[in-house]
Amino acid sequence: MPADVPRGTPAATPAATASRATDGPGDTSPFALGLLLRRAHWRAQSVMTEALRPLGIELRHFSVLIVLVNRGPMVQRDLAAATGTDKAGVMRVVDDLERKGLAVRKAVPGDRRVRAVEITPQGLELFDAAHVAARTPAESLVAGLEPGEARQLTDLLTRFAHPQQG
């Protein structure tokens, strides 16, 4: 080990430095895929946030509505797990949705301490309106791709995100 490298620090070798993360095009480091996914997520999140803004909701609200539409009413604990949110976070989102008339909490038969969250007809209308509002921005996200590549990208990301179902 060179004398100027502190003890306990691995010596940099040409092979090690050649694949350091850059978070830029051409990154071949072990972090490249994760960094690209993060950057793609930021871009998509920004575009979809702007699409939802006129409807008065944020992506965190929409993610809860997605679960409620697809799975039906559920208790907040399960809703938190389904959205990848902590219990306090999902409680704040459900509070917002209730204030907006988009969801309601209802008693669960047999356990008066537990409440199930259910989407309202107004929430379902907004959910459908969000799809219309997101169509053009979603198309802009893939505008630079060749014909068929958007479908290919979606297929690859689906297999990557849901390996047990592929």
Side-chain angles (χ1 to χ4, degrees), residues 13-164:
T13 64
T17 58
S19 63
R20 286 189 174 150
T22 65
D23 194 20
D27 187 342
T28 60
S29 77
F31 299 98
L33 179 59
L35 293 169
L36 280 170
L37 289 170
R38 180 186 69 178
R39 191 169 289 277
H41 170 75
W42 284 346
R43 183 170 171 237
Q45 180 179 8
S46 174
V47 167
M48 290 300 122
T49 295
E50 289 307 309
L52 293 175
R53 188 179 314 282
L55 299 174
I57 63 168
E58 299 172 19
L59 281 172
R60 62 194 182 106
H61 301 119
F62 191 69
S63 68
V64 167
L65 293 176
I66 289 171
V67 173
L68 294 175
V69 167
N70 290 316
R71 299 187 188 177
M74 62 178 27
V75 298
Q76 286 183 181
R77 171 188 63 246
D78 295 340
L79 194 52
T83 58
T85 310
D86 61 37
K87 285 188 248 181
V90 86
M91 187 172 74
R92 287 189 298 273
V93 170
V94 172
D95 288 345
D96 290 349
L97 292 173
E98 270 194 318
R99 269 192 300 281
K100 295 172 185 289
L102 305 174
V104 294
R105 290 179 177 102
K106 292 187 175 179
V108 173
D111 191 345
R112 63 183 186 176
R113 297 170 297 156
V114 178
R115 301 272 184 243
V117 181
E118 183 176 322
I119 193 167
T120 63
Q122 183 182 348
L124 193 53
E125 283 180 33
L126 184 128
F127 182 79
D128 291 339
H131 285 77
V132 173
R135 185 166 290 125
T136 299
E139 290 169 358
S140 76
L141 283 171
V142 295
L145 300 179
E146 297 295 323
E149 287 182 332
R151 179 83 244 151
Q152 182 181 16
L153 177 61
T154 300
D155 291 344
L156 290 169
L157 287 172
T158 299
R159 288 188 0 230
F160 182 81
H162 304 282
Q164 68 281 6

